[in-house]
Amino acid sequence: MTKYLQLINQLAPIDVIVAKKRNGLGRILDHYVVYLGNGFFIGNLKGAVKIIPRDELLELLQEYEPVRVRRFRGSHFDIQNAIQRAYQKLGHRYSFLGFNCEHFANWVQYGKERSSQVNNGLMLLGSMIFLRIMSSDE
């Protein structure tokens, strides 16, 4: 618990915690939570984008293990714009392919809704299908 509090205390507004599930198949995916400042976090978890108070984040960290922090690089003005982007998406519904936690974190930090995990997964799936089709023709 102490190491998580140390991690949280080292965050600056709009930094992103990247975490993995501690157990199970969800371990292959990265999960993202954005730090808003003043002990508050926001993320696209459990159905929709919502504010995650510090105590609730500590509960989440029982299930998720932080693996890195993606620092926000920007001015005070950029931070304010990013916070506005975060609040614009409050209540926005979760969609694994269309708007997941990575889409949200990228929207907040960079102003672009994208997920490299989804893109890479779809490319892998497409490659597997292509190889399957090519091997069945022989």
Side-chain angles (χ1 to χ4, degrees):
M1 181 72 86
T2 304
K3 71 178 182 176
Y4 300 131
L5 291 173
Q6 289 173 340
L7 168 75
I8 290 168
N9 289 332
Q10 293 175 3
L11 296 173
I14 311 305
D15 285 349
V16 171
I17 296 175
V18 182
K20 292 196 178 282
K21 277 205 168 191
R22 293 183 182 279
N23 301 305
L25 190 57
R27 184 124 183 95
I28 64 172
L29 298 173
D30 289 334
H31 302 275
Y32 299 78
V33 176
V34 179
Y35 181 59
L36 290 175
N38 297 321
F40 287 93
F41 297 80
I42 189 168
N44 195 2
L45 306 168
K46 299 183 180 179
V49 174
K50 68 178 208 159
I51 300 290
I52 304 164
R54 186 179 182 145
D55 59 331
E56 190 174 330
L57 179 74
L58 291 174
E59 287 178 30
L60 282 170
L61 291 175
Q62 301 298 321
E63 185 178 353
Y64 294 89
E65 177 182 4
V67 292
R68 64 185 162 88
V69 172
R70 191 172 75 190
R71 300 284 181 197
F72 182 71
R73 307 280 183 233
S75 67
H76 179 73
F77 179 75
D78 295 329
I79 290 170
Q80 295 310 309
N81 284 335
I83 289 171
Q84 284 183 329
R85 283 194 297 274
Y87 280 111
Q88 287 172 352
K89 295 293 186 178
L90 272 176
H92 195 278
R93 302 296 300 164
Y94 180 93
S95 166
F96 181 74
L97 294 177
F99 193 71
N100 63 39
C101 58
E102 184 182 15
H103 288 102
F104 175 70
N106 286 331
W107 163 252
V108 173
Q109 282 192 322
Y110 309 120
K112 297 179 181 178
E113 292 178 17
R114 65 176 190 251
S115 171
S116 61
Q117 294 179 111
V118 169
N119 293 341
N120 293 341
L122 292 174
M123 278 193 350
L124 179 63
L125 179 62
S127 298
M128 290 171 53
I129 291 169
F130 176 75
L131 289 173
R132 177 77 176 167
I133 290 170
M134 295 306 291
S135 66
S136 67
D137 286 345
E138 294 177 10

